[in-house]
């Protein structure tokens, strides 16, 4: 008789499922499951066991895209810019160094207290002698990383990893105006790949370099060339680690990317910086107008910017090894270029490479 009345609300008012919450839960859970699967594949590869290719279905890709990676990447970027107390810097950075195997002996400033926030630590510079630039070869690695694939482009398809390809035209977008690049006009019936090759007897080559979170995050010019045009594709920010690249066909065409095109002594040359989860920020040092990972964008859209003008008819000249840009964390660099048939890569798929080391030569 002295019991107090217990007032309860309907279950629907206390716990109301919303579509956004369902997407977050299912998408996040599935992303975690994929990370575990990637880990198992890496362990098999280390043992020398060949893993058969198993591509994601359309619903799996859609489910992965439901994870708000762009929003999370912007939040991560803001968190990186928060200044850490001096006493907290060493423990935080030391944990990151231990987790990803960072070699701080190569850093221009080894004192961890010097870096005010995570963003400064990610963008740390190296000692001048840490990455000597190879002068004997025509193309060098623009960054530290892992070689995922390389070779000739065939049938307008480029390999992400062995056995998984993407469309060359979807990746680069429509061909840039020939007047801007001073290229000869290709016959209209030619394929997209043939239109990029400007000199008779040349072939189109590609090289894919994956930058892990512990790698040096800046990238440099891989050769002496002239940058004429920039094309920015807004898009998803899915992970680009080798496991996901093996799983999602045309992954690089889904993700946000910045395509720099121009020419070198043998014809067409391009360097593409591909964004990834927590890498919403792609910076090109000479391009102050570039803004990546904007809150809103139109699906399938892209925007162009020409470095050719009345006052600057030669574009942006880049010297081999010169600073070109940086990522906020790890990501991927894709080189697609024209060269004579006797061009040879000095690489092995899966090998680790450092900025300045040889990629290939004639």
């Amino acid at each position: 008789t002295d019991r107090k009345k217990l007032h309860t609300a309907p279950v629907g008012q206390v716990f109301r499922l919303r579509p956004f919450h369902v997407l977050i839960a299912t998408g996040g859970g599935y992303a975690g499951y994929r990370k575990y699967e990637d880990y198992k594949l890496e362990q098999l590869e280390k043992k020398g066991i060949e893993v058969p290719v198993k591509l994601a279905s359309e619903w799996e890709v859609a489910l992965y895209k439901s994870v708000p990676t762009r929003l999370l990447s912007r939040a991560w970027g803001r968190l990186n810019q928060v200044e850490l107390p001096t006493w907290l810097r060493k423990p935080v950075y030391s944990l990151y160094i231990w987790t990803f195997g960072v070699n701080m002996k190569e850093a221009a400033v080894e004192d961890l207290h010097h870096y005010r926030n995570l963003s400064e630590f990610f963008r740390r510079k190296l000692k001048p002698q840490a990455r000597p630039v190879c002068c004997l070869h025509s193309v060098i690695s623009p960054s530290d990383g892992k070689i995922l694939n390389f070779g000739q482009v065939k049938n307008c398809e480029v390999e992400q990893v062995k056995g998984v390809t993407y469309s060359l035209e979807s990746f680069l977008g429509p061909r840039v105006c020939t007047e801007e690049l001073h290229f000869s006009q290709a016959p209209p019936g030619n394929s997209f790949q043939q239109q990029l090759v400007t000199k008779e007897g040349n072939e189109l080559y590609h090289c894919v370099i994956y930058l892990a979170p512990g790698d040096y995050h800046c990238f440099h010019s891989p050769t002496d060339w002239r940058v004429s045009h920039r094309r920015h594709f807004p898009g998803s920010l899915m992970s680009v680690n080798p496991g996901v690249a093996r799983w999602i066909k045309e992954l690089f065409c889904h993700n946000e990317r910045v395509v720099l095109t121009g020419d070198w002594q043998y014809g067409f040359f391009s360097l593409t910086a591909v964004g990834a989860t927590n890498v919403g920020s792609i910076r090109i040092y000479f391009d102050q107008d570039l803004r990546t990972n904007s809150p809103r964008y139109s699906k399938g859209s892209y925007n162009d910017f020409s470095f050719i003008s009345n006052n600057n008819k030669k574009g942006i000249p880049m010297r081999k090894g010169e600073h070109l840009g940086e990522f906020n964390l790890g990501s991927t660099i894709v080189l697609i270029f024209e060269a004579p048939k006797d061009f040879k890569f000095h690489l092995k798929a899966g090998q680790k490479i450092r900025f300045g080391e040889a990629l290939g030569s004639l």
Side-chain angles (χ1 to χ4, degrees), residues 18-301:
R18 301 179 185 274
F20 180 73
H21 297 156
V22 174
L23 287 175
I24 291 290
T26 55
Y30 194 74
Y33 167 73
R34 288 306 313 172
K35 285 287 186 181
Y36 174 67
E37 289 293 309
D38 295 341
Y39 171 77
K40 291 198 299 183
L41 289 176
E42 289 178 5
Q43 297 305 308
L44 291 175
E45 286 183 345
K46 288 180 180 179
K47 295 178 181 178
I49 301 174
E50 188 173 348
V51 181
V53 174
K54 184 181 178 182
L55 294 178
S57 62
E58 291 185 7
W59 72 265
E60 287 179 308
V61 175
L63 186 57
Y64 190 2
K65 282 187 172 182
S66 71
V67 181
T69 52
R70 294 179 62 85
L71 177 62
L72 293 173
S73 296
R74 285 195 296 273
W76 176 252
R78 292 180 181 178
L79 178 63
N80 289 346
Q81 295 173 2
V82 175
E83 185 170 344
L84 297 175
T86 305
W87 62 269
L88 188 58
R89 294 174 188 176
K90 188 172 182 179
V92 171
Y93 301 147
S94 296
L95 178 61
Y96 186 90
I97 291 168
W98 176 80
T99 303
F100 296 107
V102 179
N103 184 3
M104 283 303 294
K105 291 183 179 180
E106 297 176 334
V109 180
E110 296 184 38
D111 182 12
L112 298 180
H113 296 100
H114 170 80
Y115 303 101
R116 294 174 298 176
N117 52 47
L118 284 165
S119 181
E120 286 189 3
F121 179 72
F122 294 146
R123 295 182 287 106
R124 63 191 178 278
K125 303 301 180 183
L126 299 181
K127 294 174 181 175
Q129 67 275 17
R131 296 289 187 277
V133 175
C134 178
C135 300
L136 300 177
H137 298 275
S138 52
V139 183
I140 63 169
S141 176
S143 65
D144 289 6
K146 179 181 180 181
I147 302 295
L148 292 189
N149 217 302
F150 63 92
Q152 285 189 16
V153 177
K154 298 179 180 179
N155 302 321
C156 295
E157 292 282 321
V158 187
E159 282 196 321
Q160 289 177 174
V161 293
K162 186 177 180 181
V164 182
T165 62
Y166 56 93
S167 164
L168 178 65
E169 186 170 5
S170 297
F171 182 69
L172 295 178
R175 187 165 177 253
V176 179
C177 176
T178 54
E179 294 179 359
E180 184 176 303
L181 297 178
H182 302 288
F183 289 168
S184 59
Q185 181 67 45
N190 283 9
S191 68
F192 183 79
Q193 178 178 338
Q194 291 171 328
Q195 290 177 21
L196 294 181
V197 177
T198 64
K199 298 180 181 179
E200 188 176 353
N202 280 3
E203 297 287 349
L204 206 61
Y205 297 87
H206 75 98
C207 182
V208 183
I209 306 171
Y210 167 67
L211 289 74
D215 288 328
Y216 169 55
H217 295 147
C218 296
F219 51 93
H220 301 246
S221 175
T223 191
D224 295 335
W225 64 309
R226 181 176 64 98
V227 183
S228 303
H229 185 269
R230 178 260 289 163
R231 176 168 286 159
H232 172 217
F233 290 86
S236 301
L237 288 175
M238 295 184 284
S239 171
V240 293
N241 74 55
V244 178
R246 187 187 294 107
W247 179 55
I248 297 181
K249 184 177 174 64
E250 298 203 336
L251 170 64
F252 298 156
C253 298
H254 288 292
N255 272 17
E256 182 160 14
R257 58 198 181 277
V258 177
V259 182
L260 301 178
T261 54
D263 60 289
W264 68 321
Q265 59 178 326
Y266 301 111
F268 174 80
F269 199 97
S270 73
L271 180 149
T272 302
V274 182
T277 308
N278 294 336
V279 194
S281 174
I282 302 172
R283 182 183 175 193
I284 305 297
Y285 293 139
F286 57 75
D287 189 352
Q288 302 301 318
D289 296 323
L290 177 64
R291 296 291 182 273
T292 57
N293 196 13
S294 300
R296 295 181 180 179
Y297 73 97
S298 299
K299 186 178 180 180
S301 66

Side-chain angles (χ1 to χ4, degrees), residues 151-153 203-206 335-337 339-343 345:
Q152 285 189 16
V153 177
E203 297 287 349
L204 206 61
Y205 297 87
H206 75 98
L335 302 179
I336 298 175
F337 58 92
K341 290 183 178 180
D342 56 350
F343 182 87
F345 285 100

